[in-house]
Amino acid sequence: MPVELLTEDLDFTPECERALLEIFTRYDTDKDGALNDTELQAFATFTNGHNFSSTELEDIRTYLKCTKEGWLLKEGFLQMYSLQSASGDLDETWKDLEKHGYTKDLVLKE
């Protein structure tokens, strides 16, 4: 049985948050704490098989925590997954975690 991703209050469990932040860090290649357009599109392509559309990028910049340049912060990355997971789409969150090498125990495969 997989570990839980969310608490009863719909917050991420510590294990889930740790995994998501590790994924964020993987794509933050310049290590500035935010995903610029190139880094964000690398994440989208690996995760979904295609870039984010211009509308999706605009939504990210409008509704999620970003820098003044529009780069997605760690907090915004967690917000993105929080919205997806809390809306009942845990299967999609699991798919993304598994795509990035995590098991159902939220352990990164070697």
Side-chain angles (χ1 to χ4, degrees), residues 67-105:
T67 66
K68 64 182 181 209
E69 296 85 10
W71 299 350
L72 187 65
L73 292 165
K74 286 179 189 178
E75 296 88 346
F77 189 79
L78 291 175
Q79 279 180 299
M80 181 172 67
Y81 274 101
S82 179
L83 290 168
Q84 176 176 282
S85 300
S87 70
D89 204 355
L90 286 174
D91 288 343
E92 187 67 24
T93 302
W94 272 117
K95 181 181 78 72
D96 293 355
L97 287 163
E98 289 173 336
K99 178 81 175 174
H100 285 89
Y102 282 89
T103 67
K104 290 289 188 182
D105 294 326

Side-chain angles (χ1 to χ4, degrees), residues 27 35-54 56-57 60-61:
Y27 289 93
L35 300 183
N36 61 38
D37 286 348
T38 302
E39 295 164 334
L40 188 58
Q41 293 295 26
F43 163 78
T45 300
F46 183 84
T47 306
N48 304 317
H50 56 83
N51 281 347
F52 285 124
S53 69
S54 57
E56 289 168 323
L57 287 174
I60 287 169
R61 291 183 181 115

